[in-house]
Amino acid sequence: MQTPSTIFSTKTVAETFAVLQSSSKGLTADEAARRLREQGANRIVAREVTAFTILGRQFRSPLVLLLLGAVCVSIFLGEIIDGITILGILSINIGLSFFQEYRSAHTLERLRSYVAATPTVRRGGAVQQVPAATLVTGDIVLLSPGDIVQADLRVTESRGVLVDESVLTGESAPQAKSIEPMAHVAVGQSDMPAMIFSGTTVVSGAGEAIVVATGSATAFGAVAKRVAETEKVGAFEESVGKFSLFLAQYVGLALALVFVGNLLIEGKQAHVGELLLFSLALAISVVPEALPAVIAMTFARGASHLAKKKVVMKRLSAIEDLGHIEVLCTDKTGTITENNMRVAEVFGRDAAAITSLALQSLAVEAGGAQTLSSFDLAIQAFGKQHSVGPVTVLSRIPFDPLRRRETLAVKTGNDASLISKGAPEDVLHLCTTEQGKSLSDARRAEILSAFHTFGKRGMRVLALATKPLVWQGSLATYDEAALSFVGLVAFEDPLKETAIHAIQLAEKLHVRVKILTGDSAEVAGAVAVAVGIVKTADAVFTGEQLAAMTSDQFERTVDENDVFARVTPDQKYLIIQALEKRYAVGFLGEGINDAPALSVAQVGLVVQGASDVAKDAADALLLDRSLNVIVDGIREGRVIFANVAKYIRYTLSGNLGNMVSIAGLSVVLPYLPILPAQLLLVNLLTDLPLISIVTDHVDPEDVRAPHRFNIRELANFALLMGLVSTLFDFTFFGIFRHASPAVIQSSWFIESVLQELAVIFAMRTRLPFFRGVAPSRMLALLAMGAAVLTIVVPFTDLGHNVFHFVSPSVQQLFLVFGIVATNFVVIEVVKHWYYRWRAGDVVLPVPKPAR
């Protein structure tokens, strides 16, 4: 897509003046005022979200609506404490979600803060400072060190201008700017040396530029629009929403059938009020009212674990989303590599001469500010044992991205010399000698071969050349001739010690790692091979290649390949967007331009040193920039998912079984099989140990692959296990058919609770009970406590007076224990058959992407 930046990057200064109807003198005051009225203020405009909008979103979830219904029914039934408890849990969850979203909504304000200054402009030939909001296209902006740019500019004059674009691109090295137009439309912002973008900072040099875009038309504006208008719904939130909708439909249908069925059977003898209370209590018994509490406690525990591993979660539900990640997209610098350039090798006839000349090239003019790049720092460290004496810079031709070299005249002692350093092809072209001898074609080929070998090994290479100079007070480009080649300096960014292990662990977890970098294809390929992401360094696609593809080719390429070099932040966004169509994607970014990709990714991750805008758009903050902490987070997310899935599996299977049993028995029995108060007590005692599910251990199989909720399989599993439970409930009534209603209700209460508690330990693992990982101590203790209370309460005055229990006999208790034990064995057998032959579960492994 053509933007003002891409359009004007290919135009000359004269053509730019003509198109924008301006000149080096700038606009007149009247013309600037007219354009301001037409174009509007230089502000980022995007759809803003109010606090009421964010609050309204919290009530979109069917689970929230279902639980609000449960609150109303509980209060209607006189169960005030239950209603208040559910409402309290719900309020906490809604409050936390609102707070998190409200904080994230300030991203737009963060973006605006980057362009809140008073630029210096020339209008009508007069230099003046104006509010940033009044800048218009055609204004001439004067550039000086420290300036924060407030609009997209086309450079019209440059005297060594270097611009820090890290807030946009994440690349720390300042970019040199020149007036020369590009020969063709550039792919990304880092490839536009004639353009300066809003939000970036002038590091050094001076110059002038003309405004080509303001407000929403700038690079910042595009970022703001995407970030502010992207609504993220996590995989977990989406799954819980679908489950809640399914449950609400099921409960509503069952409630209607039970109520209408009893009315039809009992006819005029039916007690409508009692039937309504019974039907509502039955419906509430199916609702997993403790689910928000389980989720909140699980997330809190997971967040605590992750914080110890240096991962701070900004959006709590993203903890579980971490476990869904199938594809992890990351830059290589600082994550796979150390982001600490060092001199790896030098190539030339005299290593000492190479080191000496490299150190001399770091000198600065008297009183000048020194901005050392990562390469300069590496040279300093490499030559720290080498002394070159005082060096005076006489003049300098700054680095130019088109010339790809920097040249300076220096004085050491009484001698003056010229030093040129830059890209080997360009510097070598200027050389005619080496150590006083003519530079032969064979030697040139040997030097270039060494350069290409370094490149294939993922190294950056700097060539150095020099010649004696008779200083005459000025330095010009024609002085860059007949140079003497001194040598090559090869730099490397070493792999992190943990990188290879982290990639291997990600592979075991069925997470595919993709590298998205602005670095060269050679460097990206070499790093990817070194850590085992690809087998050959040629398996790399560049941003330029991606830009030339159709949408279908693009999607296929980003799916089938794992290393992408020279990609722009906009291309990163498109890559994430394409991958999200098939996979759950995690993205690690840090620059402002990464914010849209962070917003659209399933899980957005940033490092501690990332821009504030990127942090606002992200879901998690990494205190340690390492793949290891991300992989640890993915594993923790899967543990959380497994435990939440356990809770849903238990409660839905048990509750559906009870509801089917009670609904069926209520139709054929002349009395209610269990009283409403007793039914609510069943829910309380069976939910008590399930609250501790957050502490439970999980089987290794639960974390080996990403999983997702599957409503169909969840329903099938719950119905199957519920039918087993129903079968034993009917068996119970067959055995106790001659007992009084009060004895049956009391004994069935005990059987129902003990049966559900036993099922917890059968269903918490796919493996046979005795082979699965041991339950947590908290789960075991609470289950034991609930079992003891279940047996004791019917023998107490509280049980007799409040819940209308009668004390069962010892013989009746042993009959109940026998039914529960048999049910446990049958559940184990059915579970084994289900997992073996149906290959279904409440969660399903997601197929690993094909290499």
Side-chain angles (χ1 to χ4, degrees):
M1 183 181 68
Q2 290 286 302
T3 65
S5 299
T6 57
I7 292 171
F8 287 102
S9 66
T10 59
K11 296 186 180 298
T12 65
V13 172
E15 289 171 338
T16 302
F17 281 145
V19 171
L20 296 175
Q21 298 181 15
S22 185
S23 69
S24 59
K25 293 182 179 180
L27 304 172
T28 64
D30 290 342
E31 178 61 17
R34 186 187 68 80
R35 294 190 183 191
L36 183 61
R37 288 193 297 272
E38 289 182 356
Q39 299 171 8
N42 178 31
R43 292 194 182 95
I44 299 171
V45 179
R47 179 170 54 85
E48 297 190 49
V49 182
T50 66
F52 290 106
T53 304
I54 296 171
L55 185 61
R57 286 179 188 166
Q58 311 312 312
F59 294 91
R60 291 181 183 177
S61 169
L63 179 63
V64 171
L65 299 177
L66 193 61
L67 291 174
L68 283 174
V71 171
C72 296
V73 172
S74 296
I75 294 173
F76 179 71
L77 294 175
E79 301 296 332
I80 306 298
I81 295 178
D82 282 353
I84 292 175
T85 301
I86 298 171
L87 185 61
I89 294 171
L90 201 55
S91 299
I92 292 171
N93 278 267
I94 290 174
L96 287 173
S97 297
F98 171 81
F99 178 70
Q100 291 161 6
E101 282 197 47
Y102 186 75
R103 285 187 62 190
S104 297
H106 286 79
T107 303
L108 187 58
E109 292 304 317
R110 293 276 196 186
L111 288 166
R112 286 173 175 162
S113 70
Y114 274 92
V115 289
T118 52
T120 302
V121 301
R122 184 183 296 115
R123 285 181 174 171
V127 174
Q128 56 186 289
Q129 286 190 322
V130 298
T134 64
L135 281 180
V136 294
T137 57
D139 264 329
I140 301 299
V141 177
L142 279 60
L143 305 172
S144 58
D147 286 351
I148 297 176
V149 180
Q150 292 88 41
D152 284 358
L153 313 175
R154 181 11 173 130
V155 180
T156 58
E157 182 181 330
S158 176
R159 297 182 294 281
V161 173
L162 287 176
V163 177
D164 179 0
E165 297 179 342
S166 59
V167 294
L168 284 177
T169 65
E171 297 294 329
S172 57
Q175 301 298 309
K177 297 299 176 180
S178 71
I179 66 171
E180 299 301 324
M182 298 290 294
H184 54 82
V185 175
V187 173
Q189 293 158 350
S190 59
D191 297 323
M192 300 183 193
M195 304 303 301
I196 302 178
F197 299 95
S198 177
T200 59
T201 305
V202 178
V203 174
S204 62
E208 297 181 6
I210 185 171
V211 176
V212 299
T214 61
S216 298
T218 63
F220 252 64
V223 172
K225 184 175 178 61
R226 278 185 171 166
V227 171
E229 299 185 359
T230 297
E231 288 188 20
K232 178 186 292 187
V233 179
F236 179 74
E237 294 167 346
E238 186 177 357
S239 297
V240 170
K242 290 180 179 178
F243 165 71
S244 306
L245 185 60
F246 157 76
L247 197 58
Q249 294 169 342
Y250 190 96
V251 168
L253 178 62
L255 187 151
L257 289 176
V258 170
F259 183 75
V260 174
N262 276 274
L263 276 180
L264 292 175
I265 291 172
E266 297 184 23
K268 294 181 179 179
Q269 286 74 37
H271 298 283
V272 176
E274 185 179 353
L275 272 179
L276 180 61
L277 288 176
F278 173 73
S279 299
L280 291 174
L282 188 59
I284 288 301
S285 71
V286 184
V287 177
E289 66 274 8
L291 182 57
V294 169
I295 291 173
M297 292 172 66
T298 306
F299 285 168
R301 188 169 185 267
S304 176
H305 282 188
L306 288 175
K308 293 176 183 176
K309 297 177 180 180
K310 300 185 178 180
V311 181
V312 178
M313 301 306 301
K314 294 178 69 269
R315 180 171 62 89
L316 285 181
S317 62
I319 299 175
E320 200 275 343
D321 289 338
L322 274 172
H324 286 181
I325 290 179
E326 302 158 73
V327 177
L328 176 62
C329 296
T330 176
D331 196 353
K332 63 170 189 60
T333 306
T335 308
I336 298 175
T337 64
E338 292 283 359
N339 193 23
N340 182 23
M341 280 291 176
R342 70 183 183 194
V343 176
E345 294 183 41
V346 294
F347 174 88
R349 305 289 190 192
D350 187 343
I354 297 172
T355 305
S356 178
L357 195 65
L359 289 171
Q360 291 179 40
S361 72
L362 303 183
V364 295
E365 293 88 347
Q370 186 173 27
T371 304
L372 293 179
S373 68
S374 54
F375 298 99
D376 295 336
L377 292 171
I379 290 173
Q380 267 191 348
F382 179 70
K384 62 183 177 182
Q385 303 298 331
H386 192 99
S387 177
V388 296
V391 180
T392 303
V393 176
L394 302 172
S395 184
R396 183 192 301 270
I397 302 176
F399 178 85
D400 187 308
L402 297 177
R403 290 162 21 93
R404 300 203 303 170
R405 64 181 179 273
E406 176 186 20
T407 299
L408 59 160
V410 301
K411 185 176 182 181
T412 54
N414 296 321
D415 300 322
S417 61
L418 178 146
I419 302 173
S420 190
K421 65 177 180 180
E425 309 101 307
D426 294 88
V427 172
L428 191 60
H429 180 70
L430 305 173
C431 297
T432 56
T433 61
E434 182 183 17
Q435 288 191 326
K437 297 179 181 179
S438 177
L439 194 61
S440 66
D441 291 340
R443 179 57 178 167
R444 288 179 186 274
E446 186 180 354
I447 295 169
L448 289 175
S449 176
F451 162 56
H452 292 304
T453 300
F454 286 139
K456 290 177 181 177
R457 291 166 56 190
M459 297 182 184
R460 319 279 188 87
V461 185
L462 194 67
L464 293 164
T466 188
K467 74 174 184 180
L469 189 66
V470 178
W471 181 243
Q472 298 180 347
S474 64
L475 181 66
T477 55
Y478 56 75
D479 292 317
E480 301 172 313
L483 303 184
S484 175
F485 176 77
V486 176
L488 303 177
V489 181
F491 302 84
E492 68 175 358
D493 185 2
L495 292 179
K496 285 197 167 186
E497 293 181 2
T498 58
I500 295 177
H501 174 262
I503 296 293
Q504 292 172 344
L505 185 56
E507 183 84 10
K508 290 179 182 178
L509 294 175
H510 291 75
V511 176
R512 189 172 178 181
V513 179
K514 292 179 182 283
I515 292 178
L516 312 182
T517 179
D519 216 331
S520 68
E522 292 80 11
V523 173
V527 170
V529 169
V531 294
I533 292 179
V534 294
K535 293 181 178 179
T536 66
D538 297 330
V540 180
F541 280 82
T542 64
E544 188 174 358
Q545 290 173 308
L546 293 176
M549 295 179 183
T550 64
S551 59
D552 289 342
Q553 290 173 330
F554 179 87
E555 290 187 8
R556 186 168 59 252
T557 299
V558 300
D559 185 11
E560 296 174 354
N561 297 276
D562 295 328
V563 186
F564 302 92
R566 294 295 187 201
V567 290
T568 67
D570 193 55
Q571 286 177 323
K572 289 180 184 180
Y573 174 86
L574 296 174
I575 289 172
I576 304 301
Q577 196 176 49
L579 290 171
E580 281 280 353
K581 293 180 180 179
R582 294 190 59 190
Y583 311 111
V585 181
F587 173 67
L588 177 63
E590 60 179 314
I592 286 176
N593 259 9
D594 285 334
L598 289 165
S599 297
V600 77
Q602 184 83 71
V603 181
L605 304 141
V606 294
V607 293
Q608 193 172 18
S611 67
D612 289 338
V613 176
K615 287 179 181 177
D616 281 346
D619 304 303
L621 173 65
L622 309 181
L623 302 182
D624 181 4
R625 184 166 182 164
S626 168
L627 277 182
N628 261 350
V629 297
I630 302 175
V631 175
D632 283 344
I634 290 172
R635 190 185 184 286
E636 185 69 26
R638 292 181 185 175
V639 169
I640 289 171
F641 180 87
N643 281 333
V644 172
K646 284 179 190 179
Y647 172 80
I648 293 176
R649 201 183 315 163
Y650 304 150
T651 55
L652 194 58
S653 298
N655 292 352
L656 285 180
N658 275 345
M659 191 178 79
V660 172
S661 299
I662 296 170
L665 290 168
S666 68
V667 173
V668 298
L669 294 176
Y671 56 87
L672 294 179
I674 192 168
L675 300 178
Q678 295 170 351
L679 186 56
L680 292 172
L681 184 59
V682 170
N683 290 337
L684 177 63
L685 290 173
T686 53
D687 279 341
L688 180 64
L690 289 179
I691 293 295
S692 68
I693 202 66
V694 300
T695 67
D696 198 20
H697 308 136
V698 301
D699 289 326
E701 290 79 5
D702 289 327
V703 297
R704 283 181 183 162
H707 295 73
R708 291 179 182 170
F709 281 110
N710 184 298
I711 301 302
R712 181 176 60 84
E713 293 296 338
L714 173 61
N716 290 342
F717 183 87
L719 286 173
L720 177 62
M721 296 304 174
L723 287 175
V724 173
S725 174
T726 299
L727 174 64
F728 279 88
D729 286 337
F730 277 95
T731 300
F732 169 89
F733 275 87
I735 294 173
F736 282 80
R737 63 186 181 279
H738 298 302
S740 67
V743 169
I744 289 177
Q745 291 166 345
S746 301
S747 299
W748 196 38
F749 161 79
I750 297 174
E751 189 266 353
S752 296
V753 177
L754 294 183
Q755 180 174 286
E756 286 198 43
L757 293 177
V759 167
I760 289 176
F761 295 94
M763 292 172 56
R764 58 177 296 277
T765 173
R766 289 187 176 199
L767 300 172
F769 166 73
F770 56 87
R771 287 180 53 198
V773 64
S776 69
R777 181 180 300 178
M778 182 67 71
L779 177 61
L781 289 175
L782 286 178
M784 188 181 300
V788 170
L789 284 173
T790 300
I791 297 171
V792 170
V793 166
F795 292 90
T796 64
D797 291 339
L798 175 69
H800 297 158
N801 299 327
V802 176
F803 296 100
H804 309 293
F805 289 130
V806 296
S807 302
S809 67
V810 174
Q811 181 184 9
Q812 290 165 344
L813 278 179
F814 275 103
L815 280 174
V816 168
F817 295 159
I819 293 171
V820 171
T822 307
N823 185 19
F824 180 82
V825 173
V826 173
I827 285 287
E828 280 285 319
V829 173
V830 173
K831 177 187 73 174
H832 175 74
W833 171 83
Y834 185 83
Y835 289 142
R836 179 180 174 86
W837 299 106
R838 294 286 295 174
D841 192 7
V842 73
V843 290
L844 295 178
V846 180
K848 177 185 173 184
R851 287 283 184 191

